[in-house]
Every structure is written in structure tokens, then in C-alpha cells.
Amino acid sequence: MQTLKQKHRPFCFSVKGQVKMLRLALTVTSMAFFIIAQAPEPYIVITGFEVAVIFFFIILYMLRLDRLIDCLFWPLLDIINSMVTAIFMIIISVLALIPETTTFIVLGGVFGLLAAVCCIADGALIYRKLLFNPSGPYQKKPIHDKI
């Protein structure tokens, strides 16, 4: 019997893609507020670096390069990135919110905290996919072929 091939859902329309793009938008917004307010340079540099890394992962998944470059375990790198980004964004946001500063720095801190929540959600989505579908697209052969 011929098995039906599962229809591929584009990354942009998946839940993981939506969360990652929301995370990118919140981080860009936070960075923009920090730039407008002329916040301390580490705030701008860290948020700018996170924007670049998130953009890299979005391009990687949109072009399906994670399946082409299979020498790296991309879900693990994505989970590690999500957790490290969440830690950095929480630290930067709390430091931006603690002293009495301008409104734009406070807004940058608030959007940074929202981005940190999205980072945690993004990491949890990837981790959940690995738990429920460990043989998924990251394994070369289906489990029943190994017997």
C-alpha cells in the first residue's frame, strides 16, 4: 500500500514560525526604543545581536537549510539559543526598568521582557516537538526500518 506523503506546511504559517517572528518583532521594537532613547550601548548591542541570530534561524528554517546541513542538530542549537536569549533579555530589561530613566528606555525594557517570554515559549515549542516526535524530520530513517 502506498503511504500518503504528509503535506508540508511552510515555516511562516506554522506555530513555531509565528512565535519566532513575534519574537523577532518584539526584539526589534525593544532595540528601536533603546536606540531612540540613546540607552547604554550594551542594551543596543545585545538586542541587535539577538535580532541577527533570530533572523538567521528564520532564514534557516524558511529555506529548509536545517535539512540540507544535517551535520548539526539544529533543534538543540535553537533551544540553547532561546534559553540564552531569554536570560540576556531578562537581564537587559530588568536593568533598563530599575533606574528612573526615560519613557523610551522603559518601553524598550517592557518589550524586552515580552521578547523573553516569547523566547521561553519558542524553546518550549521546540522541546515539545522533540519529545513527542523524536524520530521526526531529524532522523535519517524511520524507526521501523531499523529492525
Side-chain angles (χ1 to χ4, degrees):
M1 209 177 207
Q2 192 177 20
T3 59
L4 295 174
K5 187 176 180 183
Q6 182 181 3
K7 190 171 183 177
H8 172 69
R9 172 186 270 180
F11 175 74
C12 297
F13 298 117
S14 67
V15 175
K16 188 172 87 168
Q18 295 291 323
V19 170
K20 201 166 283 293
M21 285 191 274
L22 177 64
R23 178 178 154 193
L24 177 66
L26 290 171
T27 308
V28 166
T29 306
S30 177
M31 182 180 72
F33 280 132
F34 286 147
I35 290 171
I36 291 169
Q38 296 177 350
E41 289 177 5
Y43 298 1
I44 299 168
V45 170
I46 289 175
T47 52
F49 177 73
E50 298 305 337
V51 165
V53 172
I54 297 166
F55 187 69
F56 165 76
F57 273 106
I58 289 174
I59 295 298
L60 176 89
Y61 290 133
M62 281 178 62
L63 298 177
R64 300 179 58 104
L65 294 175
D66 58 325
R67 297 182 193 252
L68 253 124
I69 308 170
D70 58 354
C71 58
L72 294 173
F73 191 58
W74 291 105
L76 180 63
L77 289 175
D78 206 353
I79 290 172
I80 291 171
N81 170 258
S82 294
M83 293 307 117
V84 169
T85 300
I87 291 169
F88 276 137
M89 292 304 286
I90 289 171
I91 291 171
I92 291 299
S93 299
V94 168
L95 288 176
L97 292 172
I98 287 177
E100 292 182 19
T101 55
T102 65
T103 306
F104 286 121
I105 292 179
V106 170
L107 284 173
V110 169
F111 277 95
L113 284 175
L114 291 173
V117 170
C118 282
C119 290
I120 294 168
D122 188 25
L125 279 172
I126 298 165
Y127 181 71
R128 195 178 115 220
K129 178 173 174 40
L130 285 177
L131 278 184
F132 290 139
N133 191 13
S135 65
Y138 304 105
Q139 189 173 2
K140 301 276 188 245
K141 297 179 182 176
I143 290 177
H144 64 274
D145 288 348
K146 287 190 171 186
I147 297 175

